[in-house]
Amino acid sequence: MTDRDALVLGIETSCDETGVALVRVADGRPELLVDAVASSVDEHARFGGIIPEVASRAHLEAMLPTLDRALDTAGVALDDVTAIAVTAGPGLVGPLTVGAAAAKALAVGLGRPLHGVNHVIGHVAVDELVHGPFPERFLALVVSGGHSSLLLVNDIATDVTELGQTLDDAAGEAFDKVGRLLGLPYPGGPHIDRLAREGRSTIRFPRGLTAAKDQAAHAYDFSFSGLKTAVARWVEARQDAGEEIPVPDVAASFAEAVADVLTAKTIAACRRHGVDTLVIGGGFSANSQLREMAAARCAEAGITLRIPPIRFCTDNGAMIAALGSAVVRRGLPPSPLDLAVDSSMPLTRVTV
Amino acid sequence: MLLAIDTSGDVAVSLLALDDGRPGPVLAARRATEPRRHAELLAPMITEALAEAGGRRHDVRAVVVGTGPAPYTGLRAGLVTARVLARALGVPVHGVPSLDALAAQAYAAGVATEDDVLVVTDARRREVYAARYRPAGQNEGPDVAAVAGPVVERPAVVAATLGAGAVAVGPGALAHPDELHAAPGAPVAVDPAALAALALTRVARGADLPTEPLYLRRPDVTPAAARKRVTA
Ligand SMILES: [Zn+2]
């Protein structure tokens, strides 16, 4: 068995999904065998957001059943696993702790190396399972309810630079908050997306951090909180005037503002860094306006766009097993058994 | 050998020899008292204990774990470690309430003989976990049976509702001397070896020993408040 030939088990528990996946590396190429996920999202819906303690309890209960389901589906015995990868951060401490403890127990029980890896970079790494080896150098936009980050990737396992990130709300978070103010059920993102497709973009909402004065310090950073406030003001003014709210048009205008800022800044960064490939990951990459606008603008700029299918964009074990397999293929040393989870793990840190 | 883990207060690990289904001598033990680092410390402590005992991981025949009650994150670290490690080793995992061990330790130390024992541990937020026990040993070996609790309550409430005529033991009794009077010589920390002995006694009796956590409290949830206006 060499580093070009491995079976990596990945565990993800940074938020409300318990993910366990297996990636086989054969002759240096990673292949996904199984991606098992259990979610506690329904338990959180009535609270209008993720409750960390509820998620942590669900992770403990789901861990063994999800592990067993992954092994059964792949027809693999635990003893065949050659390395364990686990999300070390960023994320919620309680949920992260359950996954890390499970991964360490596997490492001890199987006598195999443990690799703690970065969740956000996992959202990028998973695309290698779908679209094949990454080019030498590329840009990655990771957008979800928890992250909005623009990354320059020289090597997915060892060399990632953060070009920009959100200064306030993540893109998905802004969608959920606007969903709430429009009276839509939690999580609001998919509802706004659906309504936006019925409406037309008729309202010019602000594009955060796109003014000339922001270019020096925040060329690749995002801000969605001003946009969210602008939507709220617009809606309240109509309500106060006793007018009906054209919800589909508000949704379409808001969604367009978000997609516009995300894609404009990302394409500008690709040009600036002379990069010809863009990978978009994270749960918010399911958003239809973002997908359409990114496809059109990348085509226009001659940039190859890679977006994994939606099931790989939400949180899952496959992204962690994928990044773990990249770490194993580079022959990087394992993480220490006393590794601590890091809720605010920096994005320049791929492994711990 | 048998691996026993408790993360209800300290992080504690013991490896015991197995003597024809009964607990033999403790081969290695580790204890750390750093609160909130359970998940970091536990796995290295297990590998250290294995090395000290001169054992290999495949010598472990069963895993025993304390099920609390305890503050949640540390408790879960112990439970998920025990469950997954047992799966990886292909051996059974047995859960025993952590308070049961302190009661058994009190009887074994002679702190109480026929009297009931009130076990009290720290639950943070000025509350304690408590349960009242009596000895319940049969042919399979010494055991304890909870006659009340476990509960999570203010120390004064525990003293008033569960304490009458019982011998108080455990770190929660020591921490609240005004309400609870810890017996001299009473155990102050869960000994995983005591958990292991209880588990083997109960397994011999044919009992099922689930590893479900004793949280006792519901999760703190703050439902999203009604949306506030941004314009006045
Ligand atoms: Zn994520």
Side-chain angles (χ1 to χ4, degrees):
Chain A
M1 178 88 48
T2 69
D3 290 344
R4 292 182 63 76
D5 224 2
L7 181 61
V8 181
L9 185 143
I11 297 179
E12 152 63 28
T13 62
S14 67
C15 193
D16 61 340
E17 323 274 354
T18 312
V20 178
L22 286 159
V23 164
R24 187 185 295 289
V25 180
D27 201 24
R29 293 286 291 262
E31 180 205 352
L32 181 67
L33 299 187
V34 66
D35 181 32
V37 179
S39 176
S40 63
V41 69
D42 293 345
E43 295 174 50
H44 305 282
R46 66 199 165 105
F47 303 117
I50 305 292
I51 309 295
E53 177 59 23
V54 171
S56 300
R57 292 183 181 194
H59 284 305
L60 172 64
E61 293 321 311
M63 185 54 68
L64 265 193
T66 311
L67 174 66
D68 287 343
R69 189 151 50 87
L71 294 165
D72 284 355
T73 308
V76 160
L78 259 184
D79 275 334
D80 299 335
V81 170
T82 62
I84 323 293
V86 67
T87 305
L92 302 167
V93 172
L96 285 169
T97 301
V98 176
K104 290 176 184 186
L106 281 180
V108 170
L110 302 174
R112 299 298 193 190
L114 171 74
H115 297 279
V117 302
N118 189 307
H119 172 87
V120 175
I121 298 168
H123 273 304
V124 183
V126 73
D127 187 62
E128 207 169 13
L129 302 176
V130 179
H131 293 118
F134 288 130
E136 192 97 323
R137 208 162 162 265
F138 63 98
L139 240 84
L141 175 67
V142 180
V143 272
S144 74
H147 357 274
S148 299
S149 297
L150 194 50
L151 305 169
L152 177 62
V153 183
N154 286 311
D155 184 315
I156 192 72
T158 61
D159 188 352
V160 176
T161 310
E162 187 176 19
L163 299 179
Q165 59 164 326
T166 180
L167 303 184
D168 37 61
D169 294 341
E173 195 179 1
F175 262 62
D176 290 343
K177 287 180 176 174
V178 167
R180 199 178 302 158
L181 77 85
L182 291 176
L184 304 172
Y186 173 88
H191 295 284
I192 295 194
D193 194 352
R194 177 177 46 76
L195 288 166
R197 275 180 269 142
E198 296 166 12
R200 287 187 313 121
S201 175
T202 52
I203 311 153
R204 177 72 189 181
F205 287 127
R207 270 64 169 159
L209 299 179
T210 54
K213 66 177 166 63
D214 295 319
Q215 292 314 299
H218 298 298
Y220 306 126
D221 287 328
F222 307 107
S223 168
F224 298 111
S225 116
L227 168 61
K228 174 196 68 195
T229 308
V231 175
R233 282 177 192 279
W234 195 93
V235 168
E236 284 167 14
R238 294 302 172 287
Q239 281 168 338
D240 290 350
E243 294 173 24
E244 202 176 318
I245 309 295
V247 174
D249 289 351
V250 174
S253 307
F254 163 72
E256 185 183 79
V258 171
D260 183 21
V261 175
L262 287 172
T263 52
K265 287 186 174 238
T266 300
I267 303 279
C270 287
R271 288 213 170 101
R272 164 83 204 280
H273 291 274
V275 162
D276 65 3
T277 301
L278 170 64
V279 175
I280 301 184
F284 189 72
S285 60
N287 178 262
S288 20
Q289 269 171 309
L290 174 64
R291 283 185 172 242
E292 282 162 25
M293 212 180 276
R297 290 182 173 179
C298 280
E300 197 180 306
I303 294 164
T304 303
L305 176 63
R306 297 168 52 146
I307 308 181
I310 287 159
R311 70 187 179 98
F312 294 123
C313 289
T314 50
D315 293 349
N316 57 63
M319 56 193 265
I320 301 308
L323 184 49
S325 83
V327 168
V328 166
R329 279 177 282 147
R330 305 297 186 287
L332 299 182
S335 304
L337 265 188
D338 68 350
L339 88 83
V341 299
D342 182 354
S343 60
S344 55
M345 187 170 179
L347 297 192
T348 42
R349 192 120 198 247
V350 183
T351 54
V352 294
Chain B
M1 60 179 86
L2 190 146
L3 171 68
I5 295 168
D6 187 74
T7 57
S8 64
D10 300 342
V11 195
V13 171
S14 291
L15 273 170
L16 290 82
L18 259 181
D19 187 3
D20 197 22
R22 297 297 314 150
V26 173
L27 304 173
R30 287 284 184 282
R31 177 177 296 277
T33 52
E34 290 168 78
R36 299 171 201 273
R37 288 194 65 213
H38 296 80
E40 290 156 55
L41 300 171
L42 182 54
M45 286 166 66
I46 293 170
T47 54
E48 284 170 29
L50 273 169
E52 184 188 318
R56 290 168 309 114
R57 60 183 195 278
H58 288 299
D59 297 331
V60 173
R61 294 283 178 261
V63 179
V64 175
V65 63
T67 58
Y72 317 138
T73 301
L75 177 63
R76 273 190 291 268
L79 292 172
V80 78
T81 299
R83 291 178 187 180
V84 173
L85 186 56
R87 177 69 96 254
L89 296 172
V91 302
V93 57
H94 308 300
V96 175
S98 305
L99 299 182
D100 291 17
L102 281 165
Q105 288 168 243
Y107 289 114
V111 174
T113 48
E114 298 297 307
D115 293 328
D116 284 5
V117 162
L118 176 68
V119 179
V120 189
T121 60
D122 180 31
R124 298 181 188 162
R125 300 186 216 168
R126 289 184 289 161
E127 290 187 321
V128 292
Y129 300 115
R132 182 173 174 132
Y133 291 89
R134 67 180 44 143
Q138 292 176 358
N139 297 339
E140 295 87 4
D143 201 347
V144 295
V147 292
V151 298
V152 59
E153 272 294 359
R154 297 271 171 145
V157 175
V158 166
T161 57
L162 297 182
V167 176
V169 306
L174 281 173
H176 299 282
D178 292 344
E179 296 90 355
L180 300 154
H181 311 291
V188 296
V190 173
D191 182 355
L195 280 179
L198 289 174
L200 291 177
T201 298
R202 292 171 185 184
V203 166
R205 204 170 57 223
D208 185 34
L209 304 182
T211 60
E212 295 311 312
L214 293 166
Y215 291 123
L216 303 195
R217 288 183 182 125
R218 287 186 183 294
D220 284 328
V221 294
T222 316
R227 200 188 70 78
K228 295 185 185 67
R229 291 178 60 100
V230 300
T231 44

